Amino acid sequence: MPRCKEGLARAAAASSSYVVGVDVGSTTLRCHVYDKKAAIRGSSSKKVETLYPHLGWVELDPEVLWTQFMDVIKEAVQAAGLQMNQIAGLGISTQRGTFITWNKKTGKPFHNFISWQDLRAAALVNSWNRGLILKVQQAANENNCCFGTIDTWLLYKLTKGSVYATDYSNASSTGVFDPFQMCWSSVLSKLFSIPMSIYPPVEDTNHSFGSVDAEIFGVPIPIAALVADQQAAMFGECCFHEGDVKLTMGTGIFWDVNTGNHLHTPSSGLYPLIGWKIGKEVVFLAEGNASDAGSTIKWAKELDLFTSVDETARMARSVVDSEGVCFVPSFSGLQVPVNDPCACASFMGLKPSTTRNHLIRAMLESIAFRNKQLYDTIVKEVRVPLTNIRTDGGVSNNSFIMQMTSDLINKKIDKPVNTDMSCLGAAFLAGLALGFWTDKEQLKKLRRTEIVFEPQRDSGEYKLAMDNWTKAVQRSLNWYNQTSY
């Protein structure tokens, strides 16, 4: 955007009263309209329609996602009682590691989005990534192929093909971006026979990405931030300082540590990411994840093990323990520190006396045990003193899981009033770019704590239960054959 137009956009944003944050999550697509106090004035959400065409495959229909994306923005603005011309700008957070390629001329995707939960990666690596690449090789050779994550494609659609770009946080999550050199990796591209021409330009996380085409919403709305979901949550939690820790529990579990300007070198399975780049500031993160948290609870609800998610903490507390029942949360394999994509989800230790309450307790305990595993890996691997621990995501509203996690790691955990932090982080980033908010110190004052979970039981009291759970995990390993995916 030319400097004069950028200045006009910032002036308009500063005088406007609302900014929009959208989060395209793995399970839910959410949009919130925020005022200058970061209070939510209007919201909308839709269930993300996930496709499972084969065992281990997880996909999204791009056109369905596009329709849902536009709808939640319109509905949130309407819910706030506003018109589109009252919106200062838009920040977009998207699930990372979800890929698509499309025709540069027509914008038509060559295939469905391949989700980060998809297990084909193991087989693709073993076969030198032949499958999908061969399908689009001709278009790539003709310089008519675009590659990107969800943010890149949405930006392309919002601007009707006039802007093709991504940001550093999303790029660093693809596996083909070199965070040391801050550019796409020519070495990996040559190794996998991927033409460098298919990669989008990489811009700052909050940047003038252009405006939504006026035909879409009736007015041109500035797009001022693209950010990956976990990095957005980190920013929304105001984890701006080295050593700050963020625990997101949505579909999966994500532990992120702010490592400042130091790029983490992995040894036990944590991976380095770019948190955000704003001008000269580059913040790095170290992250460990487990794929199944909210997905586990959703599965149990679909089996009618409970009626409302709010019941689960009470059900778990209604029994003194799980009566020896263990659950392994591995619908999408087990990540750090187990690192087995072929592990299976399972119940073990079932008895004639096992009740629904025992099953629910075992499932909630399994999420807390995965938190303990990930936290211990972070303490062992990251050479940065850990400071504040903040949590968000829908599962963070489960007091049983949160209290047990606090007990197991023997640390305080701060939960905010609003747990949709990816939306807020995207809005914060956009608002800073537009002059809607002044600086990070102002943002810190806008984040509000609802409850701080403090350790109440000695972690040793859980040793027997966790030892049994660890045995169950070991027996679930290598259940599936990698060639099945």
Side-chain angles (χ1 to χ4, degrees):
M1 182 183 293
R3 187 169 297 177
C4 59
K5 289 186 177 181
E6 185 175 344
L8 290 172
R10 288 180 63 88
S15 62
S16 184
S17 301
Y18 309 96
V19 68
V20 170
V22 188
D23 175 35
V24 184
S26 304
T27 305
T28 307
L29 201 160
R30 293 185 179 87
C31 179
H32 294 315
V33 179
Y34 298 94
D35 63 19
K36 289 196 173 182
K37 294 182 179 180
I40 297 174
R41 301 297 295 270
S43 300
S44 178
S45 66
K46 293 186 182 295
K47 178 182 176 182
V48 173
E49 296 185 21
T50 307
L51 308 175
Y52 303 94
H54 300 287
L55 178 66
W57 294 27
V58 187
E59 299 181 352
L60 305 174
D61 184 316
E63 296 302 337
V64 170
L65 188 69
W66 168 245
T67 299
Q68 291 182 315
F69 178 81
M70 290 192 296
D71 286 347
V72 294
I73 295 176
K74 293 175 184 176
E75 291 170 7
V77 173
Q78 289 173 358
L82 303 173
Q83 301 295 320
M84 285 293 179
N85 59 10
Q86 295 176 273
I87 303 302
L90 176 65
I92 304 171
S93 161
T94 52
Q95 53 176 287
R96 306 167 324 193
T98 297
F99 306 119
I100 194 167
T101 51
W102 68 92
N103 186 292
K104 185 181 292 186
K105 295 177 181 176
T106 67
K108 185 176 180 179
F110 289 113
H111 54 87
N112 285 338
F113 278 113
I114 298 176
S115 170
W116 64 273
Q117 297 168 296
D118 194 285
L119 296 179
R120 274 173 284 182
L124 286 172
V125 169
N126 290 337
S127 65
W128 294 103
N129 218 17
R130 287 193 295 268
L132 177 60
I133 297 302
L134 288 176
K135 293 179 183 180
V136 299
Q137 191 70 52
Q138 182 177 352
N141 290 339
E142 294 172 353
N143 195 26
N144 191 31
C145 176
C146 294
F147 163 84
T149 44
I150 291 180
D151 66 297
T152 316
W153 189 73
L154 288 175
L155 178 64
Y156 193 84
K157 294 278 283 184
L158 286 168
T159 60
K160 292 198 172 179
S162 66
V163 183
Y164 176 49
T166 188
D167 92 296
Y168 284 90
S169 68
N170 278 290
S172 72
S173 307
T174 62
V176 287
F177 187 85
D178 185 341
F180 291 94
Q181 300 296 322
M182 297 290 284
C183 63
W184 297 109
S185 173
S186 58
V187 174
L188 289 176
S189 296
K190 288 179 182 177
L191 180 63
F192 296 123
S193 301
I194 303 174
M196 293 292 288
S197 61
I198 75 169
Y199 297 123
V202 185
E203 306 288 357
D204 282 7
T205 306
N206 66 346
H207 171 77
S208 295
F209 287 97
S211 295
V212 179
D213 189 279
E215 291 184 3
I216 294 177
F217 294 128
V219 293
I221 300 174
I223 304 168
L226 297 181
V227 59
D229 51 3
Q230 299 310 314
Q231 290 93 318
M234 195 80 172
F235 203 89
E237 289 278 26
C238 298
C239 291
F240 301 141
H241 304 291
E242 187 174 299
D244 283 348
V245 180
K246 182 271 304 173
L247 164 59
T248 294
M249 291 188 291
T251 299
I253 298 170
F254 294 86
W255 284 81
D256 292 87
V257 182
N258 185 326
T259 59
N261 58 6
H262 305 290
L263 187 62
H264 171 71
T265 303
S267 60
S268 304
L270 300 181
Y271 40 91
L273 293 170
I274 297 172
W276 52 83
K277 181 178 182 297
I278 302 174
K280 294 182 179 180
E281 179 195 37
V282 180
V283 171
F284 294 102
L285 310 180
E287 181 177 277
N289 84 291
S291 291
D292 294 296
S295 56
T296 295
I297 297 173
K298 176 187 174 186
W299 172 77
K301 187 176 188 301
E302 290 174 348
L303 290 183
D304 293 327
L305 290 180
F306 56 86
T307 304
S308 169
V309 173
D310 296 336
E311 295 178 63
T312 56
R314 177 189 58 77
M315 293 173 70
R317 291 192 180 99
S318 71
V319 290
V320 294
D321 54 36
S322 68
E323 204 180 49
V325 177
C326 296
F327 179 74
V328 180
S330 182
F331 293 109
S332 302
L334 290 172
Q335 293 73 42
V336 181
V338 182
N339 298 315
D340 182 0
C342 297
C344 68
S346 57
F347 274 113
M348 296 187 191
L350 298 175
K351 307 172 186 67
S353 58
T354 299
T355 66
R356 287 192 304 167
N357 293 341
H358 293 121
L359 297 179
I360 293 300
R361 182 169 181 125
M363 297 180 78
L364 301 191
E365 284 182 346
S366 74
I367 296 172
F369 290 149
R370 286 295 278 135
N371 279 335
K372 169 67 171 170
Q373 282 186 324
L374 287 162
Y375 178 79
D376 286 350
T377 303
I378 288 170
V379 170
K380 176 183 177 182
E381 188 170 323
V382 176
R383 300 290 182 246
V384 172
L386 306 184
T387 52
N388 303 306
I389 301 178
R390 295 174 171 176
T391 189
D392 57 82
V395 180
S396 70
N397 291 313
N398 189 294
S399 59
F400 180 88
I401 294 173
M402 293 313 308
Q403 186 57 59
M404 187 172 175
T405 299
S406 177
D407 292 342
L408 285 168
I409 69 174
N410 194 33
K411 294 291 181 181
K412 295 180 180 179
I413 305 176
D414 181 315
K415 187 178 85 71
V417 172
N418 171 22
T419 58
D420 290 340
M421 278 296 160
S422 293
C423 273
L424 183 59
F428 274 172
L429 283 158
L432 285 179
L434 294 163
F436 189 82
W437 289 300
T438 307
D439 53 32
K440 291 177 185 175
E441 292 304 313
Q442 183 184 9
L443 300 185
K444 289 179 186 178
K445 296 174 183 177
L446 297 176
R447 183 195 176 276
R448 293 178 295 154
T449 296
E450 179 183 80
I451 185 173
V452 176
F453 292 92
E454 300 189 33
Q456 294 181 357
R457 295 175 59 184
D458 187 277
S459 60
E461 296 181 40
Y462 298 97
K463 186 178 187 305
L464 178 60
M466 188 160 185
D467 286 348
N468 286 337
W469 179 79
T470 302
K471 291 178 185 177
V473 168
Q474 291 301 311
R475 295 186 181 187
S476 298
L477 299 182
N478 200 33
W479 185 266
Y480 300 110
N481 189 325
Q482 286 191 14
T483 59
S484 299
Y485 302 128

